[in-house]
Amino acid sequence: MAATPWLTVNRGTAPLLVSIPHTGIDLAGLEPRLVSPWLGRRDCDWWIDKLYDFAGSLGATVVHTAISRTVIDVNRDPSGASLYPGQATTGLCPTETFDGDPLYREAEEPGPSEVDERREKFFMPYHAALQSEIDRLRGLHEKIVLYDCHSIRSVLPRLFEGRLPVFNLGTNDGSSADPVLQEKVAEILAGTGETWVVNGRFKGGWITRHFGQPQSGVHALQMELSNRGYMREPEEKGSPDNWPVPYDVGFAAPIRLTLENILNTAIAWAQG
């Protein structure tokens, strides 16, 4: 295992690299500048690291950052360009929540030089770790799968209409992974009885789009889960009194079995 205070890499030898970029709650000292620490953590991908904690036992390599997406979002274009032009989203160093609530107190937002500093300190090392592990695993396997783990609240009117499907698989409209792999995962989703979509509202962020290079043997999938699929999500957008809800192993068990099936399928496909 390679480690820093905020970046961990648990190495395996299977042709599977699992990226966990949004479970961090470390605000890197920003607390006094934020409207509240709770608001700064509200859009965390809560408990995704726990949900996928079986990945190492499958032989997967897992890369994880403890830094909050409020500090810097390592799944955004590092130039700051929008991944979804014309649609509401949050930026590289967000100044508002998914709901549009301001994150910073007046005149406390980061300026260009601070954004550059955060990019150098937190964004670049995360991506360097992913690239290093891709190179290592490609040295062991003809092809590998990069699986990027995410979750989001089921209802977010600012970002999408209605209720998001439980499973949202993204392959950048089919360009980041072999269509056979995409179809195998879609078949698993179809068999769950839950709502699902491929390349719907979430087609894959910067990690999927940047590293997914099927022609080079790197096949990237993004899985965006609706929170209700694995936690007792409140109907409303949540408050400090009820968000996040505690992780419930029993409640999460069904979706966890599906995710384990997906990761095992990805490994088998890459080895085939």
Side-chain angles (χ1 to χ4, degrees):
M1 181 181 75
T4 73
W6 60 270
L7 175 63
T8 56
V9 180
N10 290 286
R11 295 191 174 101
T13 57
L16 177 64
L17 174 57
V18 174
S19 166
I20 305 180
H22 285 160
T23 62
I25 59 173
D26 185 341
L27 294 170
L30 291 180
E31 288 89 340
R33 297 167 58 186
L34 298 176
V35 173
S36 76
W38 175 81
L39 199 64
R41 297 183 175 112
R42 185 170 70 186
D43 294 334
C44 171
D45 291 7
W46 289 106
W47 317 132
I48 282 292
D49 48 344
K50 294 180 181 293
L51 190 64
Y52 285 96
D53 66 7
F54 62 85
S57 67
L58 305 182
T61 296
V62 181
V63 179
H64 173 260
T65 175
I67 297 298
S68 169
R69 69 188 305 158
T70 291
V71 179
I72 191 163
D73 190 333
V74 297
N75 198 34
R76 293 293 182 267
D77 187 327
S79 74
S82 175
L83 296 173
Y84 295 96
Q87 294 179 287
T89 186
T90 51
L92 181 65
C93 292
T95 57
E96 57 188 12
T97 68
F98 289 157
D99 297 287
D101 300 317
L103 281 166
Y104 289 87
R105 299 179 186 277
E106 187 176 356
E108 292 288 355
E109 298 92 344
S113 62
E114 185 177 359
V115 171
D116 289 345
E117 181 182 346
R118 294 186 197 180
R119 184 190 299 113
E120 186 68 24
K121 186 174 182 180
F122 300 118
F123 185 103
M124 299 308 293
Y126 190 81
H127 284 261
L130 289 176
Q131 187 63 63
S132 177
E133 296 309 311
I134 286 170
D135 293 343
R136 180 180 66 84
L137 292 173
R138 280 288 285 112
L140 299 174
H141 305 280
E142 182 179 349
K143 57 187 177 183
I144 67 170
V145 177
L146 168 59
Y147 183 94
D148 199 34
C149 308
H150 295 272
S151 72
I152 196 167
R153 301 200 316 270
S154 300
V155 177
L156 271 167
R158 181 170 171 268
L159 299 187
F160 50 81
E161 294 182 1
R163 210 174 189 215
L164 196 69
V166 170
F167 295 98
N168 300 266
L169 177 65
T171 61
N172 195 21
D173 287 326
S175 65
S176 71
D178 189 298
V180 174
L181 174 61
Q182 177 179 301
E183 182 59 29
K184 285 181 177 293
V185 177
E187 287 175 2
I188 293 171
L189 301 182
T192 64
E194 297 285 1
T195 52
W196 62 280
V197 69
V198 178
N199 292 311
R201 172 61 177 88
F202 298 101
K203 302 177 187 296
W206 180 253
I207 291 168
T208 302
R209 302 182 194 199
H210 177 68
F211 290 109
Q213 299 177 22
Q215 69 279 7
S216 299
V218 183
H219 302 261
L221 308 173
Q222 175 178 290
M223 181 63 75
E224 185 88 57
L225 301 173
S226 286
N227 289 150
R228 72 180 185 279
Y230 69 96
M231 58 196 295
R232 301 179 190 278
E233 181 183 10
E235 288 296 325
E236 67 280 3
K237 67 181 183 179
S239 68
D241 295 331
N242 67 1
W243 187 257
V245 298
Y247 184 67
D248 184 327
V249 173
F251 189 87
I255 201 170
R256 183 177 161 103
L257 287 175
T258 297
L259 297 172
E260 189 168 357
N261 188 9
I262 290 171
L263 295 197
N264 274 317
T265 297
I267 291 171
W269 173 84
Q271 292 174 330

